[in-house]
Amino acid sequence: MKSPNIVISKLDLQRLDKILDPLKYPLDLLEALENEIDRARIVGHKRIQPNVVTMNSKVHVLDETTSREFVVTLVYPQDAGAADTVSILAPVGTALLGLKTGQCIEWRTPQCRPLKLKVLEVLYQPEANMDYDL
């Protein structure tokens, strides 16, 4: 399956650039995030649509391989670990960044298990609520 088009805000891009430090995080996770950033369309944070998953967005997701639904908040690595949070450096976090409601992403886990996630709804997006200081 072809990867869907994604959108990232300039503000998120600036913040993500600060965590791309190979001395702090595993190189393979950083490379996956860089690949997503490279294929993204970058827009101003005031122009991003409210149905796009951005950093600190709370997202209702469907795992189409298991029919399991869940809600997660996409966070920076230092904010991960709390219930219902997923780090941007986790494979699922990297996959969700920039997706729109209704879009799906497919990939294989390191154990070769296929995953297919669909964004059902963006429940909260900082940009849509003018929360630019998160």
Side-chain angles (χ1 to χ4, degrees):
M1 176 182 200
K2 183 182 174 229
S3 295
N5 295 328
I6 60 173
V7 179
I8 297 176
S9 76
K10 287 181 185 177
L11 186 58
D12 277 349
L13 179 61
Q14 291 169 349
R15 291 176 178 161
L16 290 170
D17 275 345
K18 292 178 184 175
I19 68 166
L20 294 175
D21 182 352
L23 298 177
K24 283 179 133 178
Y25 303 107
L27 193 56
D28 59 331
L29 299 178
L30 295 175
E31 286 176 350
L33 178 57
E34 285 178 333
N35 289 339
E36 289 298 287
I37 290 170
D38 287 346
R39 70 182 194 84
R41 184 170 59 94
I42 309 300
V43 300
H45 63 277
K46 292 183 178 180
R47 295 193 54 215
I48 201 149
Q49 296 174 346
N51 67 335
V52 174
V53 179
T54 63
M55 293 304 303
N56 294 305
S57 289
K58 187 174 190 175
V59 187
H60 183 199
V61 179
L62 169 67
D63 179 347
E64 292 188 338
T65 57
T66 64
S67 298
R68 182 177 152 247
E69 292 184 27
F70 53 97
V71 174
V72 295
T73 301
L74 183 61
V75 297
Y76 295 97
Q78 67 272 15
D79 299 323
D84 302 324
T85 61
V86 63
S87 169
I88 184 61
L89 292 181
V92 66
T94 301
L96 287 172
L97 181 66
L99 291 180
K100 296 177 186 172
T101 300
Q103 284 185 313
C104 296
I105 187 85
E106 287 185 64
W107 78 99
R108 290 196 175 277
T109 67
Q111 298 78 25
C112 294
R113 184 173 76 93
L115 289 174
K116 184 175 181 182
L117 292 181
K118 181 176 185 176
V119 175
L120 297 177
E121 183 179 6
V122 177
L123 301 169
Y124 169 79
Q125 183 206 67
E127 292 82 358
N129 289 281
M130 293 185 268
D131 292 336
Y132 303 124
D133 298 321
L134 298 176

